[in-house]
Amino acid sequence: MDLKLAQFASLSQKDKGPAYTSLIQQAISQSDPDAVVADLHLLVNAIVNQDSIGLVVARQVLAELVKVLGETKDSALRKRLVEDTLATVQPRIVSYEEQVNSLRFQLADLLEEGEEWSEAARVLMGISLDSGQRTISDEDKLRIFIRIVRLLLEDEDSVQAETYYNRAALLIHTAPDRETQLQFKLCQARISDYSRKFLEAAIRYHELSYVAEIDEEERRHMLTAAVTCAVLAPAGPNRSRVLASLYRDERTADLPTYNILSKMFLDHILRPAEIKKFEATLKPHQLAKIAISSNDRLASTAADDDDGEPISSTRTGPATVLDRAVMEHNLLASSKIYRNITFKGLGALLDLTPGAAETMARKMIEQGRLRGYIDQVDRLIWFEDNREEDDAQGKAGGLGDVQEAEDTGAPFTKRWDAQIRLTAANVESIVQHLTEKGLVRGVA
């Protein structure tokens, strides 16, 4: 190879191109991979670093090499050649941007095939998108950004993925086809998921699960992701609307997570065994640890020194995202069962210290996700009827209009009497209706 390179150096510029190009086929046809790599390294080094060859000829030869490498069947050899060529051209990358970009696409494809997601993303990040030699369209930039986001999310690098997602968001209006738009929407849902914006992620996943262009198995996977994110979302009226939408979707009945979905929608308290089963289906980022602030820890500890009686739990707050979601749900569910509950009783229900249970209830009340008030003198949490929540699960959830008794705010005995009167009135109304239809005889 050295001898031929020396001979070709004395040729005219017109003949150098075909001469150096012929060496590519000679080198690639060898049976020894090491010899192929060594010879092509010498060739690339000669055409790139020898000024006598000329930039036009060098680009011509390098473009032919890129084409030949793209047709090489041996993936391992092809990867070695692409990496070596990129390393050799790197010092003079400005002169060969187009060829280098093509090589980077090839290397990214090879790394993606080998499931080296982050490495493939880094290779694509190195592509020059603002080239002086060649104008790259916004559509191509968008595709590159979306691909980088997808690769980074495969390795759960959501922080860097969000950076490129934001760049893609600026160009999404240029999306030329439906496939690119759907890829962007999927990235959008996954970014929300990894950023723990579970409510937003659930909505986006559910929307994608209806798209006919997506494969049926993928749509099922997105529906499962929607249920998972809805379960992990903060308890409150907004989540209830999403749970209602998923619950009335007949496809969710076949999912393994349907049991926990139905229990959350119906405001049933979740048991440890059910939580453990659901936990096995979660991804690592959905089991992330959460820190308890020093103020919350102090408040939880200080509020426990009341009567000196032993408490059932020493936990001062939820440990994971799932813990928090389940505790908040159980607290919301308990508001449907009880009119009031002591700090200690709520702590026993949530497996928290009484002070930590009070802190969680206080935060939910402050954020408008739980209707009630706290009596710190008697150490009680009083729950109020949550009209907005009921509406979210009834009318917005598509389960029909529900007639409710008026909340008179009377003491318990009077409220009980009012409920009896309402029931008796409903029975009388039904009997009168049946009598008018002639289905029953009137009583003399």
Side-chain angles (χ1 to χ4, degrees), residues 205 209 219-229 255-257 281:
Y205 278 132
S209 72
R219 279 186 281 145
R220 178 183 171 85
H221 176 73
M222 289 174 191
L223 185 62
T224 303
V227 172
T228 299
C229 289
L255 299 180
T257 51
T281 67

Side-chain angles (χ1 to χ4, degrees), residues 45-77:
N45 187 61
I47 64 172
V48 169
N49 295 318
Q50 288 184 15
D51 294 334
S52 60
I53 292 179
L55 191 59
V56 175
V57 173
R59 286 177 177 170
Q60 212 172 28
V61 176
L62 200 56
E64 181 62 25
L65 176 60
V66 170
K67 180 181 177 182
V68 171
L69 291 179
E71 297 170 352
T72 303
K73 303 299 183 183
D74 188 339
S75 297
L77 174 61

Side-chain angles (χ1 to χ4, degrees), residues 160-173:
Q160 199 166 12
E162 190 165 3
T163 301
Y164 282 88
Y165 164 76
N166 291 334
R167 295 183 187 180
L170 298 174
L171 300 173
I172 188 58
H173 64 280

